[in-house]
Every structure is written in structure tokens, then in C-alpha cells.
Amino acid sequence: MRIILIGPPGAGKGTQCQRLVDLLKVPHLSTGEMLRAEVKARTPDGIVAASYMEQGQLVPDPIIVGMVSRRLQSPDCRHGCLLDGFPRTLPQAETLDDLLERRAMSVDGVIELAVPRDELVRRMLARGREDDDPEVFEKRIASFEVQTAPLLDYYARQGRLASIDGLGTSDQIFDRVKAAVRRFEQATRAR
Ligand code: AMP
């Protein structure tokens, strides 16, 4: 299964991704994590990426697309993967479709973790993490609403979107995630 998990910052994607990779036994491709590793190792890409990440802005596509396309070519991704944090824009989604199509692959389904804005801000304040600068957090939410939300339409039109309620306990949310995965399995078989 090749699944994308989309959600605004603070929606609880990290927890659900962890549970989903354990269930599906596929690699977890998190562009945020890949970028943080590049930043830490002070690679040329990492140095450029850091200046965008500190501002809550998206890192330029050439860096992201290069990173993802290299990762998708590894043998462990042949039978599926969980994409987390990518695609984040319409051009990235189109690039992903091209990359997969060239390998006779496709996206099986997209899960949206829907959480209202007020709740995201409340969670961020409660978390009080050092990297949760309220101003940067607001920018990341705005970037989600402007650049990433249009993707939901893109995948809905392809009949691949499952929007699930991101409020509740981790178990309740994971039950909804599992139900979405079962629907993707049926849809993929029918295609
Ligand atoms: P995340 O951990 O997914 O929230 O990502 C942390 C930061 O990395 C984001 O705020 C962006 O600056 C950058 N980033 C992660 N994924 C992407 C992407 N697909 N496109 C552009 N920038 C990204």
C-alpha cells in the first residue's frame, strides 16, 4: 500500500504515522525528518533548507523532490510506503504522480486528519515545545491552509481521499485510520 497522510501542524500525524507503519509494515517517508537529518549533518541541502524551516516556510521543490525521488527508488519502497509531509503543494502532488507512474506505481489512498484551527493552537500552547514559536506555528498553519489544503480537492477528485476526524483518543483516531485503509484496499482491488 502506498498511502499519504495529510494534516495541519499539531494534528497528531506523528503518532498515527507510527501506528500505521507498524500495521502496514512499510517504510515511513517523512520529509520533515529527512530535512532535519540534512540540517543536522550540515549538508549543502541542509544549510539551504534550514533558512526556510526556521521561518515556517516551505523548502524549495528541487531539494524536496530530489530527496523523495531518491528515497522512492530504494528497494524497501517497492511494495509500498507511508508518505508523511509530502506532497505539500499541488506541483509536488503532480511530480509524485509522475515519479510513481514511471515505475508503474500509484498512490492507493490519502488520509486527511482534520482538526479545527482553534484546537491546533490550543495543543501547541499546551505542548510548549521549544521549537513551537507561536509566530512560526501560525505561519505553518497558514502555509497548510493556502498551499496544502488544495491537495485535498486534487485527491478527492481522483476518488482517493478519506477525510477523518482528528479529535479523540489515539485509539479512536487509529480505528478511523484503519477503516480508511480497508476502503483503500477494496478500491485498489476494484481498479
Ligand atoms: P514537518 O515535520 O513535516 O512539519 O516539516 C517541517 C518543515 O520542513 C516544514 O515546516 C517545511 O519547512 C519543511 N518541509 C517538510 N516537508 C516539506 C515539503 N514537502 N515541501 C516543502 N517543505 C517541506
Side-chain angles (χ1 to χ4, degrees):
M1 287 254 105
R2 217 158 278 105
I3 291 178
I4 301 172
L5 197 59
I6 297 184
K13 257 187 322 148
T15 312
Q16 296 302 321
C17 277
Q18 202 49 59
R19 299 187 71 167
L20 197 48
V21 294
D22 288 346
L23 176 82
L24 299 174
K25 308 210 170 6
V26 293
H28 178 197
L29 271 58
S30 156
T31 43
E33 268 171 35
M34 291 183 211
L35 287 167
R36 282 186 286 276
E38 299 278 337
V39 171
K40 204 166 164 211
R42 295 204 169 79
T43 63
D45 279 356
I47 291 167
V48 175
S51 60
Y52 291 87
M53 293 165 79
E54 283 158 11
Q55 310 274 325
Q57 286 174 3
L58 294 187
V59 172
D61 276 356
I63 293 182
I64 302 290
V65 171
M67 233 171 44
V68 173
S69 110
R70 283 191 295 277
R71 187 68 185 85
L72 279 175
Q73 284 177 50
S74 356
D76 65 330
C77 290
R78 195 167 306 144
H79 301 295
C81 64
L82 176 64
L83 286 161
D84 165 14
F86 179 90
R88 248 181 167 92
T89 63
L90 221 40
Q92 287 184 4
E94 287 163 356
T95 303
L96 175 65
D97 281 348
D98 285 348
L99 284 174
L100 292 176
E101 210 176 308
R102 269 186 256 147
R103 298 185 178 84
M105 296 171 174
S106 61
V107 171
D108 292 292
V110 179
I111 299 174
E112 177 202 6
L113 262 188
V115 177
R117 186 188 241 269
D118 292 357
E119 172 65 13
L120 297 174
V121 174
R122 197 193 62 73
R123 286 182 191 179
M124 184 270 302
L125 292 172
R127 218 162 43 162
R129 252 177 24 191
E130 226 176 81
D131 58 343
D132 282 345
D133 175 328
E135 233 174 83
V136 173
F137 192 79
E138 282 288 342
K139 282 200 191 136
R140 290 172 61 212
I141 294 185
S143 152
F144 178 83
E145 287 170 348
V146 175
Q147 293 168 289
T148 307
L151 284 189
L152 302 173
D153 254 2
Y154 176 80
Y155 289 116
R157 276 199 301 272
Q158 295 183 359
R160 287 173 215 259
L161 181 70
S163 288
I164 66 168
D165 181 0
L167 297 180
T169 65
S170 171
D171 283 348
Q172 286 167 337
I173 301 167
F174 193 55
D175 281 343
R176 296 172 202 144
V177 168
K178 282 188 290 191
V181 170
R182 283 194 291 273
R183 290 199 295 278
F184 297 155
E185 281 166 348
Q186 283 165 0
T188 295
R189 273 198 295 271
R191 268 189 200 113

